[in-house]
Amino acid sequence: MNKEAPIAIFDSGVGGLSVYREIEKLMPNENLIYFGDTARVPYGTRGPATIRRFVKSDLDFLFRFEPKHIIVACGTASCVGAPVLEKECGKHFTSVISPSAIAAAKTTKNGRIGVISTAATLRSGAFEKKIKEILPQAQVFTQAAQMFVNVVENGWIEEDNEIANAVAKEYLKDLKQRDIDTLILGCTHFPLLSAVIQKQMGDGVTLISSGYETALAAKMDLEALGLRNESDMSGSRKCFVSDNINAFFELTNIFLDRQIAKENVELVEIN
Ligand code: DGL
């Protein structure tokens, strides 16, 4: 396997930027390809067969670039698409489930862990199962917060945004009664709303960003596979979206620490 081959990162939309941003910081010399399936977002409202079909077509698109590793920067694709990912990628992929579950298990002091995710991820039970494998005595409280995906896709991510705060208040009111000390942001869109979510939950709750934990795990996976790029130059960047290129470009500029040049974002058709 070619160590200089790109790492391909994908999500249903802009949420995977929470992983991309951390990958850029942790491994600036890697060549990165990002695909946001903005024409078919959200995935989290769909059934398993549709999500798996989407994941297969996302992978078929990314395989054209002969990536050395795939990062599934989407909780829904990770949880529901697992059989497709294992079949198509073998050991060459990192998804969001284990890294987030391990971090939560390490963080919690009282064993009471919350998970917010899309509806499809919640139905899969994947986070709960993984947390209990690692910490059998844990009590896990789940909440679907699907509308956060739309809030983020619309760019309403600032701490004082009224819509984001109203949606967060409604979704988090039950979890606030559960005495959790750790909350997994189990959808990669949600770390973009960290400030809003933290404000609602209060300082006593540690947020686990699926974006950050997945990026860290991907770095460890690449090292274990002996696939880290050894170049000391900055890597190349190329982003693809299946719709709404301007909205994507604007959000990357708000959310990423560096700008993505317009010529590095391309519109593609996914079948
Ligand atoms: N970013 C996604 C996730 O982590 C998908 C959100 C969606 O498309 O519903 O689940």
Side-chain angles (χ1 to χ4, degrees):
M1 182 84 66
N2 175 5
K3 291 183 182 179
E4 282 168 19
I7 299 171
I9 305 167
F10 80 97
D11 177 44
S12 59
V14 298
L17 292 174
S18 64
V19 180
Y20 182 98
R21 174 165 107 156
E22 303 302 335
I23 293 281
E24 277 201 322
K25 284 190 208 154
L26 289 168
M27 301 186 277
N29 65 337
E30 294 288 351
N31 299 313
L32 304 180
I33 288 173
Y34 181 88
F35 172 57
D37 192 7
T38 48
R40 301 189 295 193
V41 68
Y43 283 12
T45 51
R46 323 265 183 174
T50 307
I51 295 168
R52 288 180 192 141
R53 185 161 51 78
F54 286 178
V55 170
K56 171 78 171 74
S57 58
D58 298 340
L59 291 174
D60 286 344
F61 169 68
L62 291 170
F63 285 156
R64 291 189 216 166
F65 303 94
E66 300 183 359
K68 62 181 175 185
H69 201 73
I70 301 276
I71 301 179
V72 191
C74 175
T76 312
S78 300
C79 293
V80 183
V84 182
L85 293 160
E86 281 156 21
K87 179 165 179 272
E88 300 292 324
C89 309
K91 56 182 191 288
H92 291 284
F93 78 95
T94 303
S95 76
V96 310
I97 314 167
S98 294
S100 312
I102 292 168
K106 273 192 198 148
T107 303
T108 186
K109 300 253 182 321
N110 68 2
R112 299 172 72 85
I113 299 171
V115 182
I116 50 173
S117 69
T118 65
T121 296
L122 187 137
R123 279 197 299 272
S124 79
F127 276 107
E128 209 167 346
K129 187 164 166 260
K130 187 49 85 181
I131 294 167
K132 292 217 162 136
E133 263 171 44
I134 305 165
L135 197 67
Q137 72 275 25
Q139 281 185 278
V140 182
F141 303 93
T142 56
Q143 171 72 52
Q146 186 66 48
M147 214 185 285
F148 276 157
V149 176
N150 302 68
V151 170
V152 169
E153 290 286 328
N154 279 288
W156 298 326
I157 62 174
E158 303 298 340
E159 190 179 350
D160 56 357
N161 183 280
E162 277 179 31
I163 296 170
N165 277 286
V167 174
K169 196 168 174 201
E170 183 60 30
Y171 276 139
L172 301 173
K173 65 174 196 275
D174 288 343
L175 279 178
K176 280 172 81 171
Q177 309 301 318
R178 301 288 189 175
D179 191 29
I180 58 167
D181 67 355
T182 306
L183 177 63
I184 297 182
L185 310 183
C187 166
T188 54
H189 279 66
F190 300 176
L192 281 82
L193 289 170
S194 287
V196 174
I197 295 170
Q198 189 76 69
K199 198 160 83 181
Q200 289 297 330
M201 294 307 295
D203 290 340
V205 176
T206 304
L207 303 187
I208 303 293
S209 162
S210 48
Y212 174 72
E213 299 302 335
T214 305
L216 211 58
K219 182 170 182 251
M220 291 191 306
D221 287 348
L222 281 159
E223 279 163 5
L225 292 163
L227 282 177
R228 281 300 315 278
N229 194 335
E230 278 149 19
S231 158
D232 48 16
M233 310 275 286
S234 289
S236 63
R237 308 280 179 260
K238 185 85 200 178
C239 295
F240 298 91
V241 287
S242 48
D243 198 1
N244 222 347
I245 194 163
N246 288 331
F248 177 83
F249 186 71
E250 271 162 35
L251 211 55
T252 56
N253 286 342
I254 303 173
F255 187 66
L256 296 181
D257 295 332
R258 56 187 262 176
Q259 290 208 331
I260 291 186
K262 220 163 193 161
E263 61 272 18
N264 284 341
V265 185
E266 204 177 299
L267 189 65
V268 286
E269 203 174 307
I270 295 291
N271 297 310

